[in-house]
mmCIF file with all atom_site columns, all heavy atoms in Angstrom:
data_model
loop_
_atom_site.group_PDB
_atom_site.id
_atom_site.type_symbol
_atom_site.label_atom_id
_atom_site.label_alt_id
_atom_site.label_comp_id
_atom_site.label_asym_id
_atom_site.label_entity_id
_atom_site.label_seq_id
_atom_site.pdbx_PDB_ins_code
_atom_site.Cartn_x
_atom_site.Cartn_y
_atom_site.Cartn_z
_atom_site.occupancy
_atom_site.B_iso_or_equiv
_atom_site.pdbx_formal_charge
_atom_site.auth_seq_id
_atom_site.auth_comp_id
_atom_site.auth_asym_id
_atom_site.auth_atom_id
_atom_site.pdbx_PDB_model_num
ATOM 1  N N   . LEU A 1 89  ? 46.748 16.951 43.701 1.00 98.00 ? 89  LEU A N   1
ATOM 2  C CA  . LEU A 1 89  ? 45.303 17.051 43.789 1.00 98.00 ? 89  LEU A CA  1
ATOM 3  C C   . LEU A 1 89  ? 44.649 15.733 43.517 1.00 98.00 ? 89  LEU A C   1
ATOM 4  O O   . LEU A 1 89  ? 45.195 14.937 42.749 1.00 98.00 ? 89  LEU A O   1
ATOM 5  C CB  . LEU A 1 89  ? 44.740 18.054 42.746 1.00 98.00 ? 89  LEU A CB  1
ATOM 6  C CG  . LEU A 1 89  ? 45.387 19.493 42.762 1.00 98.00 ? 89  LEU A CG  1
ATOM 7  C CD1 . LEU A 1 89  ? 44.747 20.351 41.722 1.00 98.00 ? 89  LEU A CD1 1
ATOM 8  C CD2 . LEU A 1 89  ? 45.148 20.055 44.112 1.00 98.00 ? 89  LEU A CD2 1
ATOM 9  N N   . SER A 1 90  ? 43.557 15.435 44.235 1.00 97.00 ? 90  SER A N   1
ATOM 10 C CA  . SER A 1 90  ? 42.855 14.227 43.909 1.00 97.00 ? 90  SER A CA  1
ATOM 11 C C   . SER A 1 90  ? 42.415 14.227 42.454 1.00 97.00 ? 90  SER A C   1
ATOM 12 O O   . SER A 1 90  ? 42.272 15.241 41.894 1.00 97.00 ? 90  SER A O   1
ATOM 13 C CB  . SER A 1 90  ? 41.615 14.041 44.847 1.00 97.00 ? 90  SER A CB  1
ATOM 14 O OG  . SER A 1 90  ? 40.671 15.022 44.540 1.00 97.00 ? 90  SER A OG  1
ATOM 15 N N   . GLN A 1 91  ? 42.197 13.043 41.922 1.00 97.00 ? 91  GLN A N   1
ATOM 16 C CA  . GLN A 1 91  ? 41.827 12.951 40.517 1.00 97.00 ? 91  GLN A CA  1
ATOM 17 C C   . GLN A 1 91  ? 40.473 13.643 40.288 1.00 97.00 ? 91  GLN A C   1
ATOM 18 O O   . GLN A 1 91  ? 40.338 14.347 39.250 1.00 97.00 ? 91  GLN A O   1
ATOM 19 C CB  . GLN A 1 91  ? 41.723 11.478 40.075 1.00 97.00 ? 91  GLN A CB  1
ATOM 20 C CG  . GLN A 1 91  ? 43.056 10.783 40.058 1.00 97.00 ? 91  GLN A CG  1
ATOM 21 C CD  . GLN A 1 91  ? 44.003 11.299 38.963 1.00 97.00 ? 91  GLN A CD  1
ATOM 22 O OE1 . GLN A 1 91  ? 43.569 11.677 37.908 1.00 97.00 ? 91  GLN A OE1 1
ATOM 23 N NE2 . GLN A 1 91  ? 45.293 11.232 39.231 1.00 97.00 ? 91  GLN A NE2 1
ATOM 24 N N   . SER A 1 92  ? 39.539 13.560 41.180 1.00 97.00 ? 92  SER A N   1
ATOM 25 C CA  . SER A 1 92  ? 38.215 14.214 41.011 1.00 97.00 ? 92  SER A CA  1
ATOM 26 C C   . SER A 1 92  ? 38.403 15.748 41.061 1.00 97.00 ? 92  SER A C   1
ATOM 27 O O   . SER A 1 92  ? 37.784 16.460 40.339 1.00 97.00 ? 92  SER A O   1
ATOM 28 C CB  . SER A 1 92  ? 37.267 13.739 42.064 1.00 97.00 ? 92  SER A CB  1
ATOM 29 O OG  . SER A 1 92  ? 37.779 13.986 43.351 1.00 97.00 ? 92  SER A OG  1
ATOM 30 N N   . THR A 1 93  ? 39.247 16.243 41.961 1.00 98.00 ? 93  THR A N   1
ATOM 31 C CA  . THR A 1 93  ? 39.448 17.639 42.041 1.00 98.00 ? 93  THR A CA  1
ATOM 32 C C   . THR A 1 93  ? 40.161 18.195 40.797 1.00 98.00 ? 93  THR A C   1
ATOM 33 O O   . THR A 1 93  ? 39.747 19.234 40.154 1.00 98.00 ? 93  THR A O   1
ATOM 34 C CB  . THR A 1 93  ? 40.356 18.009 43.272 1.00 98.00 ? 93  THR A CB  1
ATOM 35 O OG1 . THR A 1 93  ? 39.649 17.666 44.460 1.00 98.00 ? 93  THR A OG1 1
ATOM 36 C CG2 . THR A 1 93  ? 40.666 19.548 43.296 1.00 98.00 ? 93  THR A CG2 1
ATOM 37 N N   . LEU A 1 94  ? 41.170 17.488 40.331 1.00 97.00 ? 94  LEU A N   1
ATOM 38 C CA  . LEU A 1 94  ? 41.931 17.925 39.141 1.00 97.00 ? 94  LEU A CA  1
ATOM 39 C C   . LEU A 1 94  ? 41.039 17.898 37.900 1.00 97.00 ? 94  LEU A C   1
ATOM 40 O O   . LEU A 1 94  ? 41.104 18.731 37.064 1.00 97.00 ? 94  LEU A O   1
ATOM 41 C CB  . LEU A 1 94  ? 43.134 17.043 38.946 1.00 97.00 ? 94  LEU A CB  1
ATOM 42 C CG  . LEU A 1 94  ? 44.140 17.489 37.871 1.00 97.00 ? 94  LEU A CG  1
ATOM 43 C CD1 . LEU A 1 94  ? 44.677 18.875 38.234 1.00 97.00 ? 94  LEU A CD1 1
ATOM 44 C CD2 . LEU A 1 94  ? 45.232 16.449 37.789 1.00 97.00 ? 94  LEU A CD2 1
ATOM 45 N N   . GLN A 1 95  ? 40.171 16.858 37.811 1.00 98.00 ? 95  GLN A N   1
ATOM 46 C CA  . GLN A 1 95  ? 39.263 16.747 36.744 1.00 98.00 ? 95  GLN A CA  1
ATOM 47 C C   . GLN A 1 95  ? 38.289 17.985 36.676 1.00 98.00 ? 95  GLN A C   1
ATOM 48 O O   . GLN A 1 95  ? 38.065 18.566 35.598 1.00 98.00 ? 95  GLN A O   1
ATOM 49 C CB  . GLN A 1 95  ? 38.422 15.504 36.832 1.00 98.00 ? 95  GLN A CB  1
ATOM 50 C CG  . GLN A 1 95  ? 37.524 15.199 35.600 1.00 98.00 ? 95  GLN A CG  1
ATOM 51 C CD  . GLN A 1 95  ? 36.854 13.840 35.742 1.00 98.00 ? 95  GLN A CD  1
ATOM 52 O OE1 . GLN A 1 95  ? 35.688 13.772 36.358 1.00 98.00 ? 95  GLN A OE1 1
ATOM 53 N NE2 . GLN A 1 95  ? 37.443 12.824 35.205 1.00 98.00 ? 95  GLN A NE2 1
ATOM 54 N N   . ALA A 1 96  ? 37.804 18.438 37.822 1.00 98.00 ? 96  ALA A N   1
ATOM 55 C CA  . ALA A 1 96  ? 36.972 19.579 37.940 1.00 98.00 ? 96  ALA A CA  1
ATOM 56 C C   . ALA A 1 96  ? 37.667 20.832 37.556 1.00 98.00 ? 96  ALA A C   1
ATOM 57 O O   . ALA A 1 96  ? 37.114 21.712 36.886 1.00 98.00 ? 96  ALA A O   1
ATOM 58 C CB  . ALA A 1 96  ? 36.336 19.674 39.367 1.00 98.00 ? 96  ALA A CB  1
ATOM 59 N N   . VAL A 1 97  ? 38.968 20.941 38.011 1.00 98.00 ? 97  VAL A N   1
ATOM 60 C CA  . VAL A 1 97  ? 39.742 22.134 37.679 1.00 98.00 ? 97  VAL A CA  1
ATOM 61 C C   . VAL A 1 97  ? 39.959 22.187 36.155 1.00 98.00 ? 97  VAL A C   1
ATOM 62 O O   . VAL A 1 97  ? 39.780 23.284 35.531 1.00 98.00 ? 97  VAL A O   1
ATOM 63 C CB  . VAL A 1 97  ? 41.053 22.070 38.364 1.00 98.00 ? 97  VAL A CB  1
ATOM 64 C CG1 . VAL A 1 97  ? 41.955 23.178 37.868 1.00 98.00 ? 97  VAL A CG1 1
ATOM 65 C CG2 . VAL A 1 97  ? 40.911 22.278 39.885 1.00 98.00 ? 97  VAL A CG2 1
ATOM 66 N N   . MET A 1 125 ? 42.693 11.388 33.561 1.00 97.00 ? 125 MET A N   1
ATOM 67 C CA  . MET A 1 125 ? 41.837 12.469 33.880 1.00 97.00 ? 125 MET A CA  1
ATOM 68 C C   . MET A 1 125 ? 41.666 13.429 32.693 1.00 97.00 ? 125 MET A C   1
ATOM 69 O O   . MET A 1 125 ? 40.570 13.836 32.334 1.00 97.00 ? 125 MET A O   1
ATOM 70 C CB  . MET A 1 125 ? 42.416 13.306 35.055 1.00 97.00 ? 125 MET A CB  1
ATOM 71 C CG  . MET A 1 125 ? 41.674 14.616 35.435 1.00 97.00 ? 125 MET A CG  1
ATOM 72 S SD  . MET A 1 125 ? 42.164 16.040 34.389 1.00 97.00 ? 125 MET A SD  1
ATOM 73 C CE  . MET A 1 125 ? 43.922 16.125 34.639 1.00 97.00 ? 125 MET A CE  1
#
Side-chain angles (χ1 to χ4, degrees):
L89 303 181
S90 69
Q91 293 292 328
S92 58
T93 296
L94 190 58
Q95 187 175 87
V97 170
M125 174 278 302

